[in-house]
C-alpha cells in the first residue's frame, strides 16, 4: 500500500532556496541531536520496515532517473550517460543488495566458542551505532548522499550527511526525494539530516557527537578530519584520493581493452576517486593503444552536460581544478613528456572544459607521476616485464582501485594479487564497485577501513560479543578458585593449562590427573603449597 502511494508522488519541484545554507557549528550539533532522538526509535524497526523504506526510495529513483541525472549534470558537469552510471545504477544496485542480502549479514552470527569454552555458545550481535555522520564530495552529488544514507538506515541508524559546498543546489533538490520516501514509510522525523556549508560544518560533524564518521574526499582534508576526530575519539572511515593503475599485459585483447580504458580515464571528465590514471601497458601494445586512444579522443564531443546536445565529456566542476590539471601537464612536458591529444586548457571564458588528454613519456620526478590528477588525462607508461609492471603500479602514494588485463585470467589474477590497492578488477575496470557485497576502500594515502559491502555495513554497527551457556545448566567458578582461593588454586590452573594445551597426549593426560588430584588425593601427585616447597 505504502509503496503504491509513494510511487504516485510527483517529483519535487527543482527550485531550491540557497539562502541560509551555511550551517554553523550549532546548526550541525542540533541536526545530530535530532537524528539521535529519531534513531532511538528507528533502531528497533524491523528489517521488513527498512526494506520498505529502501524499496520506496528505489521506486522514486527509477521513476525519476532522468531528473536525478539532469540535476547531477547541471551541478557537477557530467554528461547524462555518466550520471546514469555513477548516480543511478550504482545506487539501485546498492539498494538491491541491501534489500536482498543485508539482513543476512546483520543478524546475530554464531561463532565457535573455542576449545576450553566448549560448554558455551558464542555469537556476535550487530547493534546500530546510533548516528552515522558522512562528509562527502561533490563529484557524484546523488550517489554520494544515498551511498552512506542507505547503509546507515538499513543498519538501524540515523544519518547526518554533510554535502560539498559545490553541490548544495543538487543536494537540496535530492533532499526532497529522501524526505518524501522517509515520510511515506512513517520514519521518525529528523532521522536523516542533510547539512550544507563549508569546512567548518564538516569539522562540526566530526566533533559534534556522531557515533561513526565516514569521510569521503581528498587526502589533504582527510588529515584534518583524522586530527579533529582524535579530539573526540570519533571512529572514522577515510575514503580518500586515488590514482588507479590499469595494467595491460602483452596478451590482452587490445580491441576490448581500449574501450574500457577510455571510459576508465574519461568518465565524468576523470573526476572519479577510483578513476584510471596510470595506464601501464606492455611495450609491444603501447603504440597501438595510443593510436586508438588518440583517434577516439579526437572524435569525442565536449560541451555543457545539461545542454541540448549529446556530449561525451562535460566540464571540470571545481574552480581551479582545470588550472591544476594544466599545471601537471605543463610540468610533465617541461620534463620530457609528450602530449598526443588535448593538453591545452581552452579559453576560460568558455567554461571549465579541460579536453580529454593523452600523454606519454611520463617518468618519476614529474609531478603527474605521483599527484592525483582528478581530470581527463590518460597517462600511458610502457613496460617490458611482468615484474616491472607490478613495480610501476606500486610506485604510487595512493592505492584505491586497480585493474589487470590478460587473455589468461590466471595470469591477471597473479599480477592483481601483487598490486598494492584496496580493490582489483580482473579483465575489467571498477567492477568491484558494482559488486555491492564487496568492501570499498583503499590502502596507503587512499585511506583506511572499509565502506560498503559486508564489511562496510557491519562497520556501521557495534559488533557486540555475547557468550552464554550451551546447555540448560549454568557453570560456576570451581570452589577452589572462589575467594578466598584454596592453596590448590594455582596448581589447578597449571593442571588445566596442561590438560588442554600441552602439545602431546601423555602430557594432556597427566594434566587431567593433576587436575583430579586437586579434588581427591592421588598417589604420586602433590598439590597445593606443599608442591612448591617440595
Ligand atoms: N575514496 C573515495 O571513495 C572517494 C570518492 C569520491 C571522491 N574522492 C576524493 O575526493 C576528492 C575530490 O572531492 P573534493 O574536492 O570535494 O574533496 P574535499 O576533500 O575538498 O572535500 C570533501 C568534503 O570535505 C569537506 N571539508 C572541507 N574541509 C573540511 C574540514 N576541515 N573538516 C571536515 N570536512 C571538511 C568539504 O566541505 C566537502 O564536503 C578527490 O581527492 C577524490 O579522489 C574519494
Amino acid at each position: 500500500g505504502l509503496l503504491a502511494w509513494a510511487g504516485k508522488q510527483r517529483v519535487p519541484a527543482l527550485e531550491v532556496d540557497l539562502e541560509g545554507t551555511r550551517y554553523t557549528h550549532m546548526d550541525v550539533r542540533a541536526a545530530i541531536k535530532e537524528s539521535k532522538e529519531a534513531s532511538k526509535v528507528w533502531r528497533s524497526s524491523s528489517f521488513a520496515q527498512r526494506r520498505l523504506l529502501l524499496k520506496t526510495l528505489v521506486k522514486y529513483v527509477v521513476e525519476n532517473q532522468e531528473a536525478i541525472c539532469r540535476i547531477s549534470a547541471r551541478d557537477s558537469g557530467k554528461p547524462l550517460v555518466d550520471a546514469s552510471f555513477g548516480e543511478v545504477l550504482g545506487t539501485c544496485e546498492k539498494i538491491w543488495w541491501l534489500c536482498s542480502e543485508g539482513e543476512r549479514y546483520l543478524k546475530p552470527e554464531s561463532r565457535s566458542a573455542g576449545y576450553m569454552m566448549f560448554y558455551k555458545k558464542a555469537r556476535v550481535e550487530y547493534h546500530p551505532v546510533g548516528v552515522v555522520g558522512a562528509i562527502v564530495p561533490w563529484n557524484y552529488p546523488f550517489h554520494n548522499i544515498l551511498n552512506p544514507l542507505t547503509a546507515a538506515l538499513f543498519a538501524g541508524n540515523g544519518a547526518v550527511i554533510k554535502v560539498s559546498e559545490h553541490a548544495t543546489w543538487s543536494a537540496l533538490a535530492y533532499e526532497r526525494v529522501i524526505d518524501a520516501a522517509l515520510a511515506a514509510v512513517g520514519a521518525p522525523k529528523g532521522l536523516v539530516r542533510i547539512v550544507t556549508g563549508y569546512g567548518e560544518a564538516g569539522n562540526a560533524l566530526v566533533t559534534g557527537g556522531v557515533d561513526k564518521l565516514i569521510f569521503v574526499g581528498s587526502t589533504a582534508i582527510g588529515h584534518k578530519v583524522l586530527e579533529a576526530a582524535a579530539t573526540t575519539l570519533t571512529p572514522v572511515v577515510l575514503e580518500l584520493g586515488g590514482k588507479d593503475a590499469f595494467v595491460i599485459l602483452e596478451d590482452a585483447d587490445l580491441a576490448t581493452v581500449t574501450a574500457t580504458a577510455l571510459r576508465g580515464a574519461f568518465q565524468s571528465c576523470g573526476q572519479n576517486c577510483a578513476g584510471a590514471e596510470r595506464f601501464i601497458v606492455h611495450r609491444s601494445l603501447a603504440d597501438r593503444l595510443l593510436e586508438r586512444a588518440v583517434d577516439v579522443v579526437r572524435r569525442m564531443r565536449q560541451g555543457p552536460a545539461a545542454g541540448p546536445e549529446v556530449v561525451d565529456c562535460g566540464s571540470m566542476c571545481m574552480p581551479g581544478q582545470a588550472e591544476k590539471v594544466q599545471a601537471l601537464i605543463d610540468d610533465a612536458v617541461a620534463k620530457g613528456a609528450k602530449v598526443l591529444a588535448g593538453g591545452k586548457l581552452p579559453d576560460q571564458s568558455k567554461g571549465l572544459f579541460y579536453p580529454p588528454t593523452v600523454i606519454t613519456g611520463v617518468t618519476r620526478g614529474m609531478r603527474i607521476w605521483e599527484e592525483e590528477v582528478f581530470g581527463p588525462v590518460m597517462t600511458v607508461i610502457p613496460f617490458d616485464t611482468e615484474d616491472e609492471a607490478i613495480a610501476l603500479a606500486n610506485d604510487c602514494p595512493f592505492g584505491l582501485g586497480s585493474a589487470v588485463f590478460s587473455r589468461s585470467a590466471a595470469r591477471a589474477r597473479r599480477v592483481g594479487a601483487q598490486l598494492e590497492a584496496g580493490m582489483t578488477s580482473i579483465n575489467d575496470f571498477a567492477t568491484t564497485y558494482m559488486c555491492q557485497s564487496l568492501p570499498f576502500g583503499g590502502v596507503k594515502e587512499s585511506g583506511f577501513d572499509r565502506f560498503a559491502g559486508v564489511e562496510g555495513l557491519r562497520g556501521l554497527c557495534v559488533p557486540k560479543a555475547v557468550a552464554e551457556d550451551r546447555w540448560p545448566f549454568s557453570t560456576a567458578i570451581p570452589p577452589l578458585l572462589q575467594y578466598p582461593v584454596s592453596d590448590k588454586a594455582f596448581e589447578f590452573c597449571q593442571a588445566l593449562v596442561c590438560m588442554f594445551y600441552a602439545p602431546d597426549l601423555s602430557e594432556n593426560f597427566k594434566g587431567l590427573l593433576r587436575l583430579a588430584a586437586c579434588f581427591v588425593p592421588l598417589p604420586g601427585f602433590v598439590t597445593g603449597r606443599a608442591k612448591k616447597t617440595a
Side-chain angles (χ1 to χ4, degrees), residues 42-87:
W42 185 249
R43 66 183 295 127
S44 39
S45 59
S46 66
F47 283 112
Q49 276 172 294
R50 297 176 198 174
R51 270 191 291 272
L52 179 65
L53 168 62
L54 294 193
K55 283 180 180 170
T56 305
L57 258 175
V58 87
K59 196 168 164 66
Y60 275 117
V61 174
V62 172
E63 285 174 2
N64 299 302
Q65 48 178 311
E66 186 179 342
I68 290 167
C69 291
R70 287 199 181 280
I71 294 169
S72 165
R74 185 167 155 192
D75 219 8
S76 68
K78 67 170 65 64
L80 293 179
V81 171
D82 296 15
S84 183
F85 267 130
E87 307 280 26

Side-chain angles (χ1 to χ4, degrees), residues 136-138 162 165 216-218 221 239-241 273 372 374 440:
V136 296
W138 52 267
K162 152 73 179 79
E165 56 272 36
V216 185
S218 62
I221 302 292
E239 295 294 354
L240 310 176
C273 52
E372 182 183 28
F374 213 61
F440 183 92

Side-chain angles (χ1 to χ4, degrees), residues 84-106:
S84 183
F85 267 130
E87 307 280 26
V88 175
L89 269 170
T91 303
C92 292
E93 181 63 25
K94 172 150 197 144
I95 293 179
W96 182 89
W97 179 75
L98 284 169
C99 288
S100 48
E101 294 182 27
E103 181 177 353
R104 186 195 314 169
Y105 295 108
L106 294 182

